[in-house]
Amino acid sequence: MKWYFVASLLTVLTSSQGILTTLSQSNGGYKYDYATVPFLAEVFKLLVSSVLLWRELKRVPPPKMTMEWRTIRLYPIPSIIYLIHNNVQFATLTYVDTSTYQIMGNLKIVTTGILFRLFLKRKLSNLQWMAIVLLAVGTTTSQVKGCGEASCDSLFSSPIQGYMLGVLSACLSALAGVYTEYLMKKNNDSLYWQNVQLYTFGAIFNLGRIVFDDFRSGFEKGPWWQRLFNGYTITTWLVVLNLGSTGLLVSWLMKFADNIVKVYSTSMAMLLTMILSIYLFNFKPTLQLFLGIIICMMSLHMYFAPPTMLIDFPSTTKANSEDVIEISVDRRTDS
């Protein structure tokens, strides 16, 4: 499969995730335990990856599977980072409102580019850096509300702790993505074998969260295995299926593309969700939304356009003294 096909499919699935989650609500709330959705999604991804790995093992030659402990022990780290990230998200929302949190979440676009360059040693051109910054500006512009709205004044009125936690959340999100890409490209192991390891630990950590919630609530609603499917409807199962499929596509992009492609896919999904909300939930489009879409389209063109269509900024490095001497000698020889 081509990366742009997978990225487009990821955009569609990611945009529909929020819509399906909203449709799964009943009277403004959830009849099911929302913590069970990520757990079942991890189990779904684990089952799909196991079946695909089993089919791959029947081929000749068999796929490469590294089973050394020093390699396997690296796979719980993304789950630990995401676990910390989720707690930081919760803490951030205690200091800032939802609109400010969404806008600050766009920092992960820039932090992903920075960590992508530092840890994976991937060089980006000047135009690509400008495109990444434009993408962050475009997504932020689309989320800024009009000054006539009640939350307009709350954007820069939150405590400093909220902004610090927001920056930390963006860095953790970028770190988890970059580290996952590092794991996927560390060796030539089968993608499905790598997924089995990732999702095994992901399921364990998500189950641990559910068990922790049981102990914290004093088993008020019963143990987790008795209420695992309570309140589930067809829409809820679609949420689980959508979340699991999204994770499988992300792992494919981490293996055969990179984090920047994933960032563009998820950012475009946010804009697509806003557009679909106009027809599904009577969302009123704003001038900021249209400006954000235009800026994001410009960013998309700048980053992925063929080099022959764009002229990069020239390097500002000064010529070495040896190069100057060589040029002067050549000129004398020619004369």
Side-chain angles (χ1 to χ4, degrees):
M1 290 188 294
K2 299 293 184 179
W3 67 265
Y4 48 81
F5 173 77
V6 177
S8 301
L9 186 57
L10 177 61
T11 299
V12 174
L13 290 180
T14 305
S15 63
S16 60
Q17 181 67 36
I19 295 174
L20 287 174
T21 304
T22 302
L23 293 175
S24 68
Q25 294 179 354
S26 178
N27 297 324
Y30 301 103
K31 289 186 176 181
Y32 58 92
D33 185 356
Y34 189 71
T36 61
V37 172
F39 169 68
L40 292 175
E42 291 294 322
V43 173
F44 169 76
K45 291 185 289 185
L46 179 59
L47 291 176
V48 171
S49 300
S50 300
V51 171
L52 293 175
L53 178 63
W54 174 70
R55 292 182 57 185
E56 201 174 43
L57 288 173
K58 293 184 176 181
R59 300 176 183 175
V60 179
K64 181 182 176 182
M65 297 171 57
T66 303
M67 297 186 180
E68 298 177 357
W69 169 244
R70 62 181 182 181
T71 300
I72 296 177
R73 67 184 180 183
L74 300 176
Y75 283 84
I77 296 179
S79 299
I80 296 174
I81 296 175
Y82 280 120
L83 180 64
I84 299 173
H85 174 252
N86 292 335
N87 288 308
V88 171
Q89 279 183 315
F90 179 80
T92 305
L93 287 170
T94 61
Y95 290 100
V96 302
D97 60 282
T98 306
S99 300
T100 304
Y101 174 78
Q102 290 176 345
I103 292 174
M104 292 181 62
N106 296 319
L107 287 173
K108 68 182 179 183
I109 298 174
V110 179
T111 54
T112 298
I114 295 174
L115 296 180
F116 184 75
R117 174 68 181 89
L118 292 177
F119 291 100
L120 299 181
K121 308 299 181 183
R122 299 288 295 275
K123 185 177 180 180
L124 300 175
S125 67
N126 295 329
L127 275 175
Q128 288 178 323
W129 277 115
M130 287 185 62
I132 291 174
V133 174
L134 267 183
L135 180 64
V137 172
T139 52
T140 301
T141 302
S142 66
Q143 293 173 330
V144 173
K145 296 185 177 182
C147 290
E149 299 187 32
S151 60
C152 179
D153 297 332
S154 64
L155 182 58
F156 299 106
S157 60
S158 302
I160 187 64
Q161 297 93 324
Y163 298 111
M164 293 177 63
L165 288 171
V167 173
L168 178 61
S169 175
C171 292
L172 288 173
S173 177
L175 179 62
V178 171
Y179 185 84
T180 302
E181 181 178 349
Y182 164 76
L183 282 182
M184 290 296 185
K185 295 178 178 177
K186 184 175 181 293
N187 49 40
N188 294 323
D189 279 6
S190 165
L191 169 64
Y192 308 123
W193 167 238
Q194 292 176 317
N195 281 347
V196 165
Q197 297 173 84
L198 276 176
Y199 302 143
T200 297
F201 290 110
I204 292 173
F205 277 95
N206 277 278
L207 179 59
R209 179 197 169 185
I210 296 175
V211 173
F212 176 76
D213 289 341
D214 282 347
F215 281 97
R216 187 173 59 179
S217 62
F219 294 90
E220 181 181 355
K221 298 180 180 180
W224 65 271
W225 59 85
Q226 293 182 0
R227 56 181 174 83
L228 184 61
F229 305 117
N230 288 349
Y232 268 62
T233 62
I234 295 178
T235 307
T236 312
W237 283 111
L238 288 177
V239 172
V240 174
L241 180 62
N242 184 287
L243 186 60
S245 302
T246 300
L248 292 171
L249 292 177
V250 168
S251 67
W252 193 96
L253 287 178
M254 294 294 100
K255 182 74 171 180
F256 301 108
D258 55 48
N259 262 282
I260 305 300
V261 175
K262 187 202 79 170
V263 165
Y264 269 93
S265 297
T266 53
S267 299
M268 294 302 165
M270 180 187 63
L271 298 177
L272 181 58
T273 302
M274 292 182 181
I275 295 174
L276 293 176
S277 298
I278 296 174
Y279 301 97
L280 296 176
F281 306 113
N282 296 322
F283 173 76
K284 295 182 179 180
T286 61
L287 177 61
Q288 295 92 316
L289 173 59
F290 290 112
L291 288 176
I293 292 174
I294 293 173
I295 295 173
C296 289
M297 291 296 107
M298 292 172 56
S299 169
L300 184 66
H301 175 71
M302 288 174 61
Y303 192 91
F304 293 105
T308 54
M309 295 180 60
L310 296 172
I311 301 177
D312 198 2
F313 291 100
S315 177
T316 57
T317 56
K318 296 181 179 180
N320 296 327
S321 58
E322 296 180 357
D323 297 337
V324 176
I325 295 174
E326 290 179 359
I327 293 174
S328 61
V329 171
D330 291 340
R331 286 179 177 176
R332 291 176 183 176
T333 305
D334 292 339
S335 61

